[in-house]
Amino acid sequence: MTQPKNRREQIYEVAGALFSERGYHATSMRDLASQLGMQGGSLYAHISGKEELLVELVNQAAQQFDASLLPLRAADLTPEEKLREAMRRHIEVVAGNLESATVFFHEWKHLSPEAYGKVTAWRDTIDALYRDLIREGIDKGVFKADLDIKMTAYLLLSAVNWTYTWYRPGGPLNAAQIADQFAVMLLEGLRR
Amino acid sequence: MTQPKNRREQIYEVAGALFSERGYHATSMRDLASQLGMQGGSLYAHISGKEELLVELVNQAAQQFDASLLPLRAADLTPEEKLREAMRRHIEVVAGNLESATVFFHEWKHLSPEAYGKVTAWRDTIDALYRDLIREGIDKGVFKADLDIKMTAYLLLSAVNWTYTWYRPGGPLNAAQIADQFAVMLLEGLRR
DNA sequence: CCTACCGATCGGTAGG
DNA sequence: CCTACCGATCGGTAGG
């Protein structure tokens, strides 16, 4: 027995699959409709337009990231634990929402100016979270004092964001295990 | 005096700018033509079609990566030097070909099956290069023996590939400096 | 949710 | 390289 799900959510779901696989502009409303077993024009009984789908998918992903990552600011953890936990949650959001996360990272440039601005603001917030986390570690004497905070944040964000390009469910490691491995390598280094 | 450049190269150049900024499907042949001061149909006196532009840009980028990275296999360097050198060259290709590199990473899924296959083969080659480099470092006792080679390669590739999303010319660090910082952090770790 | 349709725009071609 | 055009397809709407 599948959960009763309204048509609107089904549309978002299929849109996520198609946008993430083919891209926003390469997916037509008729492609979308046919996968839902309806005619192109019928979609507009449920949604206002194509852009709404993109906005919704991007917002979905952004909210997942926010809900998972932002509470970390107040968490009572050592800098190392906090770094590992941020990477865990970050990769878990990507892995658990692979389609909307892919749309988020890949298609956000096609948003209208308003929604586009919200995404850049989101990115700044997450950047700041990672930078603060690094700064805190330096201040507490746990991380190296000579780290370039901006570059260190880019390095961490590279690792967690890039996962959307290669992570696939069913692989040997789950999201938390991937994050833990990355965190160990980043904290301890590759050198023997 | 600008270099005499044939029209074909000019078209590729403008296509790189537009495809990297707006995306392949969101760029029309008329957009492209108007930026070159010509009519849409006139493009076809120089090129065979839109797909040719994408293929050419992607191949351009792939060849730059190959020419720069593949010779490293035979280089007589310590594992640490080789890792740093690979990251340097990798990021230098991205930074020095930002538009075609962006098209390469972002639009390759829209290639026809044949060109698509070549890109996945390329990716496997570069994956193998990084994995061999890591394996060599482990075998020589320079890198930690318990590294997960696949995950380590993903981590390195994340760092160098993700640069296309944030690197912009004129920033405080050039490509080699970015690579050096990344290499130091990755080799030594963030921990004090 | 369907049928039937709208104007706009797409990639590409013919003929010059 | 232009003018003029092709068929196809696009996102979206009207009326039921």
Side-chain angles (χ1 to χ4, degrees):
Chain A
M1 204 75 99
T2 54
Q3 288 293 359
K5 204 175 282 186
N6 65 41
R7 215 70 230 252
R8 215 183 155 80
E9 284 171 27
Q10 286 180 30
I11 294 172
Y12 292 142
E13 207 172 300
V14 177
L18 293 180
F19 291 176
S20 67
E21 190 192 319
R22 311 181 189 174
Y24 177 68
H25 280 108
T27 304
S28 75
M29 296 302 272
R30 285 163 180 83
D31 290 337
L32 179 56
S34 90
Q35 289 241 351
L36 286 153
M38 56 169 88
Q39 297 300 314
S42 305
L43 286 166
Y44 295 86
H46 302 97
I47 58 161
S48 69
K50 192 180 182 184
E51 157 106 9
E52 182 195 317
L53 294 173
L54 181 57
V55 170
E56 174 66 20
L57 288 165
V58 166
N59 282 344
Q60 245 176 50
Q63 278 167 27
Q64 298 273 3
F65 280 117
D66 284 353
S68 188
L69 289 172
L70 298 188
L72 257 186
R73 282 202 175 276
D76 187 27
L77 297 170
T78 68
E80 292 186 320
E81 287 168 345
K82 202 177 260 193
L83 181 145
R84 190 199 55 190
E85 190 63 22
M87 296 188 80
R88 263 201 206 199
R89 295 183 185 196
H90 202 121
I91 296 178
E92 271 166 356
V93 171
V94 172
N97 306 268
L98 197 50
E99 289 172 353
S100 57
T102 299
V103 174
F104 180 75
F105 286 122
H106 226 88
E107 310 291 339
W108 65 277
K109 284 205 173 182
H110 300 121
L111 288 166
S112 64
E114 188 205 336
Y116 182 97
K118 283 175 62 179
V119 172
T120 54
W122 174 89
R123 198 194 51 204
D124 290 345
T125 304
I126 299 302
D127 267 12
L129 179 86
Y130 276 87
R131 289 178 193 189
D132 289 348
L133 180 158
I134 295 158
R135 192 176 293 109
E136 195 183 329
I138 294 172
D139 291 346
K140 293 192 176 172
V142 178
F143 296 162
K144 288 201 176 77
D146 66 345
L147 290 178
D148 179 328
I149 292 174
K150 202 173 91 178
M151 283 298 127
T152 310
Y154 277 143
L155 181 61
L156 300 182
L157 283 163
S158 303
V160 293
N161 286 340
W162 191 251
T163 51
Y164 89 87
T165 67
W166 61 267
Y167 175 85
R168 292 298 173 267
L173 300 178
N174 63 30
Q177 291 169 323
I178 292 165
D180 288 351
Q181 288 222 20
F182 280 174
V184 168
M185 288 192 272
L186 287 162
L187 288 168
E188 300 181 8
L190 307 181
R191 191 183 279 156
R192 203 169 88 118
Chain B
M1 203 75 97
T2 54
Q3 288 293 359
K5 204 176 280 185
N6 66 40
R7 215 69 229 252
R8 216 182 153 83
E9 283 172 26
Q10 285 181 33
I11 294 172
Y12 291 141
E13 207 172 299
V14 176
L18 292 180
F19 290 177
S20 67
E21 190 193 317
R22 312 182 188 174
Y24 176 67
H25 280 108
T27 303
S28 74
M29 294 304 272
R30 285 162 180 81
D31 290 338
L32 178 57
S34 89
Q35 288 240 353
L36 287 153
M38 56 169 89
Q39 298 300 313
S42 305
L43 286 167
Y44 295 85
H46 302 96
I47 58 161
S48 69
K50 192 181 182 184
E51 158 106 9
E52 181 195 317
L53 294 173
L54 182 57
V55 170
E56 175 65 22
L57 288 165
V58 166
N59 282 344
Q60 244 176 51
Q63 278 168 26
Q64 298 273 2
F65 280 118
D66 284 352
S68 188
L69 289 172
L70 297 188
L72 256 184
R73 281 201 175 276
D76 186 27
L77 296 171
T78 69
E80 292 186 319
E81 286 168 344
K82 201 178 259 193
L83 182 145
R84 190 198 57 189
E85 191 63 22
M87 297 188 80
R88 265 202 203 198
R89 296 182 186 198
H90 203 120
I91 297 179
E92 271 166 355
V93 171
V94 172
N97 306 268
L98 197 49
E99 290 172 353
S100 57
T102 299
V103 173
F104 180 78
F105 285 122
H106 225 89
E107 310 292 339
W108 66 276
K109 283 203 173 183
H110 300 121
L111 289 165
S112 63
E114 186 205 336
Y116 183 97
K118 282 176 63 179
V119 172
T120 54
W122 174 88
R123 197 194 52 206
D124 290 345
T125 303
I126 299 300
D127 266 14
L129 178 86
Y130 276 88
R131 290 179 191 187
D132 289 347
L133 178 159
I134 296 158
R135 192 175 294 110
E136 193 182 329
I138 295 172
D139 291 345
K140 292 193 177 171
V142 179
F143 296 162
K144 288 201 177 76
D146 65 345
L147 290 178
D148 180 327
I149 291 174
K150 201 175 90 178
M151 284 297 127
T152 310
Y154 278 143
L155 181 59
L156 300 182
L157 283 164
S158 304
V160 292
N161 286 339
W162 191 251
T163 51
Y164 90 87
T165 68
W166 62 267
Y167 175 84
R168 292 297 172 267
L173 301 178
N174 63 31
Q177 291 168 325
I178 291 166
D180 288 352
Q181 288 221 20
F182 280 174
V184 168
M185 289 191 273
L186 287 161
L187 287 169
E188 299 180 8
L190 307 181
R191 189 184 282 155
R192 203 170 86 116

